[in-house]
Structures are given as C-alpha cells and as structure tokens.
Amino acid sequence: MANAQTTATKQEIYAVAQRLKHASPVWRAALLRINGAKITKGSNLDGDKLDLDAQRWHITMLGITGDGWSLKEMLDNWIWWAELHHKFDAARRATDGRTDCPYNGQPPAP
C-alpha cells in the first residue's frame, strides 16, 4: 500500500478504488486515513453561500483528486477518476510494462 510520500502504481490506485467502492463507511474512513487522503470539507459559512467552489468537498489521494457536493459524491467522483486512470493506461503489458503492439515485439512481415 502506498503512503503520501511514495508514488503509487496504477495497480495500487485501482486496488484502493475497488476497496473504497465496496467498503462500509467505517472501512472507507480507515482506507482514507491509511492512504493519506487530504479531504477539505465544504464550507457552511453564510459568507460562502454564493461561492460554489467553497461549498464543494475536495479529496486528494494517491495523486488523484475528486470533488463533490457531499462526502459520498466526492468519494464516488474519486473512485470514478481512479478507475478511469487505470482504464486509459497505455502500458498494459504485464511482463515488462511496455505498451502492447500488434506484432508482439516482432518486426512486421516483409
């Protein structure tokens, strides 16, 4: 599991996203703490009623950010971005991490 000081791999990000998606609220809180999530709660001050950005919740964890109007929406948004981050990974080759090519490392036929 990656902490705030190290760079998380795409597989670690995906694993945390899946755990958050299927965890109970108590385990979600534990996972957020373990992975060094920085959460900023939306403001409820009267002076911020017209500032929509101040009212939104924000999360940064493992290099991915998410936001939402509530805690649940914020976590769902982070999970969505984490899954998208994993889905659009160009380096899909499991053996050496190189991008897959149609020739599987062999030159094209003459």
Side-chain angles (χ1 to χ4, degrees):
M1 207 60 66
N3 59 20
Q5 287 81 18
T6 62
T7 304
T9 65
K10 293 186 183 302
Q11 289 82 11
E12 289 173 331
I13 294 171
Y14 180 76
V16 170
Q18 292 303 306
R19 287 183 189 133
L20 281 174
K21 182 188 260 187
H22 301 293
S24 68
V26 173
W27 283 110
R28 277 187 172 192
L31 285 169
L32 293 172
R33 184 177 176 136
I34 289 169
N35 291 294
K38 304 291 183 214
I39 298 175
T40 306
K41 183 180 176 190
S43 175
N44 290 332
L45 299 174
D46 289 335
D48 292 334
K49 293 291 183 195
L50 298 177
D51 186 3
L52 296 179
D53 191 45
Q55 294 178 13
R56 293 181 66 84
W57 289 64
H58 298 277
I59 182 174
T60 302
M61 182 171 58
L62 302 176
I64 297 176
T65 59
D67 61 354
W69 295 107
S70 65
L71 177 65
K72 182 180 179 341
E73 184 180 350
M74 174 197 66
L75 286 175
D76 291 342
N77 190 331
W78 187 91
I79 291 167
W80 184 81
W81 279 110
E83 288 177 342
L84 196 65
H85 181 72
H86 180 74
K87 188 181 292 185
F88 288 120
D89 177 20
R92 288 297 200 163
R93 206 169 189 173
T95 55
D96 57 345
R98 293 188 297 166
T99 56
D100 279 334
C101 66
Y103 305 108
N104 198 17
Q106 299 175 6

